[in-house]
């Protein structure tokens, strides 16, 4: 059996779903952030696979994936900074206890 | 590659860097606001100089047309008013002024780019540039509500941008390109494209606060520093609609696809305005109430989007300009009042007509514009947008929108009632000069454009006509 485009697409769809499930069901803000990173990486797999199979010469998808990774790093940095700010003010990162305002 | 086409954004980033560096040497932080304001004249001048050009540059990544430039001018104006409104607030409640003004400018440059980008990668980068800057601004007070709002904003923003990216990846996989113009050439109507379009609607829906992606709005609006709430409610929404227009009219503009997404936007519009208006009825916090009002206005704007016509496009551009004036005016008056009373509760606005007659009158006037009563710009904007929808046969949606406008009168007028008919708790108080200037500009704008709408309408028509390649 050779590994083709569908395998990559199915893998990334599964990863995206796992990440989405984690993002909406987990209570720890850091774990939610990690789930979101999984979703972004699932998109990266799609992009790179499509780049390889659909536009092998132009490599648009690979360039896109590099930009996504760069922005994801910035998002993670900002997210962790905000989580630290929250931890300082209320000693928890549990999103169900971060409920000063109605969700 | 012509850097002149990118000059508004480049100059704005340059001003932001200058502001951060000046922060290190200047002891009086009010100067930073002055420098930021003066610096905004650079992108303003470059945008005016670019008016009339119709060019695509950077391999089709960036388009400079009248549609983009009108949004750039709008965002420069919003940023200027927000900076004016921030001076007093920042002096009282915030630390690190240099970064504060710089982040406002960087968010503005991201939103200006959003209106001009015509390619998925640059759309994503511009979107994140504005979202991340705004997220840092939401967190700026670093107290409990502010950091909580920032966490909710960031997590949902990243979630929505992941969904958006997945949609972009699917469209890219089917068409083999990320450029909107070439997508339009290669696209067909099939399951992959439709799913990609749904994911794009979800991703952009977050940015423009459409149901069911609106849940962040009330919390973030309540927790964020008030000038940033104002910024989010007008600039972020305007830029979001600009990018939605680019993507859906340029890439998915073919007739069979336009039918699909116009229907989706019509249904979302109905849900968005109804939920926004009904939920606003019971609010006791004025920022939260305006949050729901902003959701409702996203619904009205999507009525114009659902029309999917040239008239619909120009009416949305006009509505955005009018909504910006009225909503900013209301927020600036609220900033001026809450800076003094330190409370966002509507009940604490009791007797403001006697404590601070000018602010109360301006706030009441802007709220009347948000209801959509003459002689304000809100009235003209609503008539314009509803007529565009009637012209394509969306009468049911317009009827619903009119019923919604009537519902909205209740919660807007309740604020007016509390200000004018309740007894004041304390005596009168003064407000700062910068806030007065900002308030005068936006309230006069609401009145003047309401009485003489034709010039702005003409500009909106020109901009909307220039959108299609």
């Amino acid at each position: 059996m050779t590994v083709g485009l569908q395998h990559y697409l199915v893998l990334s769809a599964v990863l995206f779903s796992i990440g989405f499930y984690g993002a909406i069901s987990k209570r720890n803000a850091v774990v939610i952030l990690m789930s979101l990173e999984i979703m972004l990486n699932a998109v990266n797999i799609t992009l790179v696979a499509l780049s390889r199979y659909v536009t092998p010469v132009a490599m648009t998808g690979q360039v896109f994936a590099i930009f996504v990774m760069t922005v994801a790093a910035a998002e993670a940095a900002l997210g962790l900074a905000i989580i630290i700010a929250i931890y300082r003010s209320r000693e928890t990162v549990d999103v169900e206890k971060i409920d000063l305002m109605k969700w | 590659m012509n850097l002149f086409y990118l000059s508004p954004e480049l100059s704005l980033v340059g001003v932001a860097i200058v502001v951060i560096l000046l922060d290190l040497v200047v002891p009086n932080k009010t100067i930073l606001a002055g420098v930021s304001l003066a610096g905004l004249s650079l992108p303003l001048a470059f945008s005016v100089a670019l008016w009339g050009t119709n060019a695509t540059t950077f391999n089709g990544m960036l388009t400079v047309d009248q549609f983009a430039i009108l949004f750039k001018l709008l965002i420069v104006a919003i940023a200027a008013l927000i900076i004016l409104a921030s001076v007093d607030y920042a002096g009282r409640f915030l630390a690190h002024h240099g970064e504060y003004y710089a982040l406002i400018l960087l968010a503005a440059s991201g939103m200006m780019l959003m209106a001009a980008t015509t390619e998925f990668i640059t759309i994503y980068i511009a979107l994140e540039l504005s979202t991340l800057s705004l997220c840092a601004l939401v967190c700026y007070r670093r107290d409990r509500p502010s950091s909580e709002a920032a966490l909710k904003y960031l997590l949902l923003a990243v979630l929505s941008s992941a969904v958006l990216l997945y949609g972009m990846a699917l469209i890219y996989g089917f068409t083999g390109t990320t450029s909107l113009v070439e997508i339009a050439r290669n696209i067909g109507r099939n399951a992959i494209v439709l799913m990609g379009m749904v994911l794009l609607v979800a991703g952009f829906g977050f940015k423009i606060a459409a149901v069911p992606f609106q849940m962040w709005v009330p919390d973030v609006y309540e927790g964020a520093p008030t000038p940033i709430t104002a910024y989010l409610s007008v600039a972020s929404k305007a830029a979001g609609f600009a990018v939605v227009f680019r993507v859906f009219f340029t890439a998915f503009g073919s007739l069979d696809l336009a039918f699909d997404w116009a229907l989706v936007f019509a249904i979302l519009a109905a849900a968005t305005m109804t939920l926004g208006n009904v939920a606003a009825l019971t609010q006791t916090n004025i920022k939260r109430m305006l949050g729901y009002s902003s959701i409702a206005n996203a619904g009205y704007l999507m009525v114009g989007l659902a029309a999917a016509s040239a008239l619909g496009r120009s009416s949305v551009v006009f509505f955005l300009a009018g909504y910006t004036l009225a909503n900013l005016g209301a927020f600036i008056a609220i900033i001026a009042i809450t800076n003094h009373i330190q409370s966002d509760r509507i009940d604490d606005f009791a007797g403001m007509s006697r404590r601070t007659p000018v602010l109360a009158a301006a706030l009441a006037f802007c709220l009347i514009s948000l209801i959509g009563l003459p002689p304000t710009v809100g009235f003209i904007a609503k008539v314009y947008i509803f007529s565009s929808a009637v012209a394509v046969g969306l009468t049911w949606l317009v009827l619903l929108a009119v019923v919604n406008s009537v519902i909205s009168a209740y919660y807007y007028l309740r604020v007016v009632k509390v200000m004018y008919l309740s007894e004041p708790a304390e005596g009168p108080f003064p407000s700062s000069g910068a806030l007065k200037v900002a308030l005068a500009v936006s309230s006069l704008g609401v009145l003047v454009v309401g009485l003489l709408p034709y010039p702005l309408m003409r500009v909106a028509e020109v901009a909307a006509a220039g959108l299609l390649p």
Side-chain angles (χ1 to χ4, degrees):
Chain A
M1 187 187 83
T2 51
V3 177
L5 178 58
Q6 306 91 309
H7 297 87
Y8 290 110
L9 293 185
V10 169
L11 169 70
S12 76
V14 169
L15 260 184
F16 192 84
S17 309
I18 292 173
F20 189 78
Y21 173 76
I24 58 173
S25 68
K26 293 294 168 188
R27 291 170 49 183
N28 187 314
V30 180
V31 179
I32 296 179
L33 212 56
M34 285 160 64
S35 308
L36 293 170
E37 295 295 317
I38 292 177
M39 289 173 76
L40 289 173
N41 283 326
V43 174
N44 282 342
I45 292 175
T46 316
L47 284 170
V48 173
L50 288 172
S51 175
R52 169 75 179 72
Y53 286 93
V54 178
T55 56
V57 182
M59 295 208 300
T60 321
Q62 299 191 30
V63 175
F64 204 157
I66 289 174
F67 275 106
V68 174
M69 280 193 264
T70 317
V71 174
E75 277 166 352
L78 188 57
L80 290 172
I82 291 170
I83 289 172
I84 289 172
I86 286 190
Y87 187 77
R88 280 196 184 144
S89 70
R90 63 183 93 193
E91 305 272 300
T92 179
V93 291
D94 185 336
V95 288
E96 296 201 351
K97 293 193 183 120
I98 304 172
D99 57 353
L100 199 62
M101 293 169 289
K102 285 162 277 177
W103 242 121
Chain B
M1 192 142 69
N2 187 341
L3 284 182
F4 181 53
Y5 292 140
L6 200 56
S7 54
E9 289 84 0
L10 282 178
S11 58
L12 197 48
V13 173
V15 174
I17 294 169
V18 168
V19 170
I20 291 181
L21 292 178
L22 266 185
D23 185 34
L24 300 174
V25 290
V26 177
N28 179 2
K29 303 301 179 193
T30 318
I31 294 172
L32 296 172
V35 170
S36 313
L37 267 181
L40 277 171
S41 62
L42 282 176
L44 180 71
F46 281 123
S47 301
V48 172
L50 281 168
W51 180 264
T53 38
N54 216 330
T56 303
T57 183
F58 298 104
N59 285 326
M61 288 186 169
L62 195 75
T63 298
V64 183
D65 53 13
Q66 275 140 334
F67 179 80
I69 293 168
L70 182 62
F71 272 95
K72 287 179 194 190
L73 293 171
L74 185 65
I75 284 161
V76 167
I78 293 171
L81 287 173
I82 295 293
I83 289 169
L84 272 179
S86 295
V87 178
D88 192 32
Y89 187 92
R92 284 170 194 252
F93 305 115
L94 300 178
H96 310 292
H97 292 193
E99 288 85 350
Y100 177 78
Y101 293 116
L103 280 167
I104 290 183
L105 297 176
L106 286 175
S109 66
M111 291 185 280
M112 287 162 74
L113 268 179
M114 274 166 78
T117 47
T118 44
E119 196 261 354
F120 277 163
I121 303 178
T122 30
I123 288 175
Y124 174 65
I125 300 292
L127 196 79
E128 291 300 322
L129 175 56
S130 72
T131 306
L132 293 183
S133 312
L134 285 171
C135 189
L137 286 169
V138 169
C139 198
Y140 224 82
R141 283 187 80 155
R142 284 192 286 175
D143 55 5
R144 281 181 167 211
S146 180
S147 53
E148 181 179 328
L151 182 70
K152 288 172 180 173
Y153 188 53
L154 182 86
L155 292 181
L156 290 170
V158 178
L159 185 70
S160 77
S161 67
V163 172
L164 180 78
L165 279 173
Y166 205 65
M168 286 178 172
L170 290 181
I171 304 279
Y172 161 67
F174 182 75
T175 58
T177 173
T178 51
S179 153
L180 297 182
V181 178
E182 285 175 35
I183 287 174
R185 245 175 254 148
N186 299 349
I187 207 156
R189 188 175 181 280
N190 61 33
I192 302 176
V193 169
L194 289 180
M195 182 159 171
M197 257 168 47
V198 168
L199 292 175
L200 288 181
V201 170
F204 290 132
F206 168 84
K207 198 74 188 164
I208 59 177
V211 168
F213 318 104
Q214 91 299 352
M215 60 292 226
W216 60 279
V217 172
D219 290 352
V220 172
Y221 279 33
E222 184 182 341
T226 318
I228 301 309
T229 309
Y231 200 26
L232 270 175
S233 74
V234 290
S236 176
K237 197 183 292 290
F241 270 97
V243 76
V244 165
F245 270 73
R246 284 260 182 237
V247 171
F248 284 90
F249 280 100
T250 309
F252 308 129
S254 65
L255 275 180
D256 49 343
L257 282 173
F259 179 77
D260 291 316
W261 59 255
L263 185 65
V264 171
F265 278 120
I267 293 165
L268 288 185
T272 305
M273 57 194 172
T274 311
L275 186 136
N277 281 320
V278 172
L281 291 176
T282 57
Q283 298 306 319
T284 53
N285 181 307
I286 194 152
K287 282 161 81 179
R288 209 173 165 83
M289 187 203 90
L290 282 175
Y292 282 109
S293 137
S294 136
I295 296 173
N297 276 289
Y300 302 139
L301 282 159
M302 278 194 290
V303 173
L305 196 54
S309 61
L311 188 61
R313 286 203 301 275
S314 57
S315 70
V316 169
V317 174
F318 184 84
F319 193 104
L320 274 171
Y323 169 73
T324 298
L325 286 170
N327 212 35
L328 262 185
F331 263 113
I332 292 165
I334 289 168
I335 292 167
I337 293 172
T338 52
N339 276 356
H340 183 80
I341 63 172
Q342 311 243 350
S343 158
D344 301 331
R345 291 185 59 242
I346 293 174
D347 292 343
D348 292 336
F349 281 58
M352 278 302 156
S353 62
R354 267 162 284 175
R355 295 180 71 187
T356 167
V358 179
L359 291 182
L363 179 54
F365 186 64
C366 291
L367 291 177
I368 284 170
S369 176
L370 285 173
I371 301 172
L373 295 178
T376 60
V377 63
F379 171 69
I380 311 283
K382 273 193 181 163
V383 170
Y384 198 9
I385 216 162
F386 294 167
S387 66
S388 79
V390 170
V392 296
L394 285 168
T395 319
W396 64 274
L397 192 58
V398 172
L399 282 177
L400 188 66
V402 171
V403 171
N404 264 294
S405 299
V406 176
I407 297 175
S408 75
Y410 171 78
Y411 60 83
Y412 290 129
L413 288 178
R414 194 180 48 168
V415 179
V416 178
K417 188 199 117 197
V418 169
M419 287 196 304
Y420 277 84
L421 299 179
S422 304
E423 285 302 310
E426 287 163 53
F429 60 86
S431 57
S432 88
L435 278 166
K436 277 182 194 152
V437 173
L439 189 58
V441 169
S442 42
S443 313
L444 279 179
V446 170
L447 183 64
V448 169
V449 182
L451 293 174
L452 299 167
Y454 186 71
L456 184 61
M457 231 176 230
R458 184 79 199 105
V459 172
E461 271 169 25
V462 170
L467 176 66
L468 287 180

